[in-house]
Amino acid sequence: MNERPIEPPRRILGIDPGSRITGYGVIELVNARPVYVASGCIRTADGALEQRLAQIYAGLAEVVGLHRPTEVSVERVFLAKNPDSALKLGQARGVALVCMANHGLGIAEYAARQIKQAVTGQGGADKSQVQHMVTAILNLSATPQADAADALAIALSHAYAGQGLLATPARGARRRSSGRWRL
Amino acid sequence: MNERPIEPPRRILGIDPGSRITGYGVIELVNARPVYVASGCIRTADGALEQRLAQIYAGLAEVVGLHRPTEVSVERVFLAKNPDSALKLGQARGVALVCMANHGLGIAEYAARQIKQAVTGQGGADKSQVQHMVTAILNLSATPQADAADALAIALSHAYAGQGLLATPARGARRRSSGRWRL
């Protein structure tokens, strides 16, 4: 009766909310290493705003139901580009956050720089570098769509933040003397 | 068997979403005249953003469950003040809209000028004029809190828009030659 309780596996859902495309990515930590579970995009059809927001809510609720994440991670928004895009992003973001809260899930937030730093080693990395490194770290056979890759990067950031880990070296990546990974 | 079907009474929920205070107001159209049903505020406690958004969602879901609106009305946002406040407003607004959509309710939007025009006769009216006219039109014994009054004004705008009505004259209000109502 002295057995250690079995810890449930950590499953992290990363979300990249947007009014037109919301990316999501799910990873599981297996022996403290991130393993790809699922990723994709929720694309909203044309129609009334509330119907598009309901599609985001329903899509994320389906992801939660299918993949049962234990933790959720989103990008922190520091400064939106302009009031109009901030309002649109805010609406999608509010829906994503409340959907998670309504499913009893807590949310961690990471700044864009932290996310890029975590997966590429460089806070100023561009989108294609993030896509490339996510593909390499998770050993994917194909490059995920950009928003899905961002969501996976957000999930990976949370995995690394909890473990104090750097990005896992990818096939073909070499460690530079600075300690960063280079493809 | 030639009886006319009984039309369900129209109940309009007006919502004034905000990250700290979300106002709501419910009116019913009785013989095409607006009658006060309920109004109030959902105040979010300190805490994680997603928890505050969940309070807005739960509060509005409770209002819908209690008062069974048939229609919903919100203010259209043309130009938010700055990106930061636009993001915060957007998050609260997204939650309010998705909560309504998840309850199968359609949403009408009115510009701030239209709302002020509908209840005060003047598109440039200030908040206290809106509060005053809402109190008068709905024959309330006390002035509602500012966000609740805004929400009632938003609901009244929808009632008037559907009927091509001007603001109902309040006690003590006189019609000006311009056709506007003056207190």
Side-chain angles (χ1 to χ4, degrees):
Chain A
M1 299 307 269
N2 284 323
E3 282 167 29
R4 274 169 62 191
I6 297 164
E7 280 191 28
R10 286 180 67 198
R11 278 209 167 191
I12 304 170
L13 165 61
I15 308 175
D16 183 25
S19 57
R20 289 286 164 192
I21 302 178
T22 291
Y24 67 88
V26 185
I27 58 172
E28 185 167 303
L29 295 183
V30 177
N31 299 325
R33 290 186 78 83
V35 173
Y36 177 86
V37 175
S39 67
C41 300
I42 299 157
R43 287 169 204 272
T44 56
D46 288 338
L49 172 62
E50 69 270 20
Q51 292 308 321
R52 287 190 280 122
L53 296 175
Q55 287 164 9
I56 298 173
Y57 191 101
L60 289 175
E62 193 180 326
V63 169
V64 169
L66 271 175
H67 302 297
R68 305 276 171 199
T70 56
E71 290 148 76
V72 182
S73 178
V74 297
E75 186 176 318
R76 181 175 298 139
V77 181
F78 271 112
L79 195 63
K81 275 168 282 183
N82 64 59
D84 189 51
S85 63
L87 184 79
K88 285 180 183 161
L89 171 62
Q91 289 173 164
R93 194 171 196 268
V95 167
L97 296 180
V98 85
C99 180
M100 295 304 114
N102 284 353
H103 286 84
L105 290 162
I107 295 162
E109 289 187 84
Y110 299 94
R113 269 197 85 79
Q114 286 178 289
I115 295 163
K116 290 171 181 175
Q117 177 76 38
V119 296
T120 73
Q122 296 189 309
D126 65 21
K127 273 191 174 279
S128 66
Q129 285 176 284
V130 170
Q131 263 178 310
H132 194 124
M133 278 306 293
V134 162
T135 308
I137 293 168
L138 293 172
N139 202 13
L140 304 178
S141 56
T143 306
Q145 185 271 359
D147 300 275
D150 281 348
L152 286 168
I154 293 164
L156 284 168
S157 303
H158 184 56
Y160 296 147
Q163 306 180 324
L165 287 184
L166 282 172
T168 311
R171 285 174 302 172
R174 285 182 300 163
R175 190 160 201 171
R176 290 203 305 209
S177 54
S178 67
R180 290 176 178 162
W181 296 103
R182 189 172 60 181
L183 290 174
Chain B
M1 302 305 271
N2 284 324
E3 284 167 27
R4 274 171 61 192
I6 296 165
E7 280 192 29
R10 286 181 66 197
R11 279 209 165 190
I12 303 169
L13 166 60
I15 308 175
D16 183 24
S19 57
R20 290 286 165 189
I21 302 179
T22 290
Y24 67 87
V26 185
I27 59 173
E28 185 166 303
L29 295 183
V30 177
N31 298 324
R33 288 187 79 82
V35 174
Y36 177 87
V37 175
S39 67
C41 299
I42 300 157
R43 286 169 204 273
T44 54
D46 288 337
L49 171 62
E50 68 270 20
Q51 291 308 319
R52 288 189 279 121
L53 295 175
Q55 287 164 11
I56 297 174
Y57 191 101
L60 289 175
E62 194 180 327
V63 168
V64 169
L66 272 174
H67 302 296
R68 304 276 170 197
T70 57
E71 289 148 76
V72 182
S73 178
V74 297
E75 186 176 317
R76 182 175 298 139
V77 181
F78 270 112
L79 196 63
K81 275 168 282 184
N82 64 58
D84 189 52
S85 64
L87 184 80
K88 285 181 183 162
L89 171 61
Q91 289 173 165
R93 194 170 196 269
V95 167
L97 297 180
V98 86
C99 181
M100 296 304 114
N102 284 354
H103 286 84
L105 289 161
I107 295 162
E109 289 187 83
Y110 300 94
R113 270 196 84 81
Q114 285 177 290
I115 295 163
K116 290 172 181 175
Q117 177 76 36
V119 297
T120 72
Q122 296 188 309
D126 65 21
K127 273 194 173 277
S128 66
Q129 285 175 285
V130 170
Q131 263 179 311
H132 194 123
M133 279 304 295
V134 163
T135 308
I137 293 168
L138 293 172
N139 203 12
L140 304 178
S141 55
T143 306
Q145 185 269 359
D147 300 275
D150 281 347
L152 286 167
I154 293 164
L156 284 168
S157 303
H158 185 55
Y160 296 148
Q163 305 181 325
L165 288 183
L166 282 172
T168 311
R171 284 171 303 173
R174 287 181 300 163
R175 192 160 198 169
R176 292 202 305 209
S177 54
S178 68
R180 290 177 179 163
W181 296 103
R182 188 171 61 183
L183 291 175

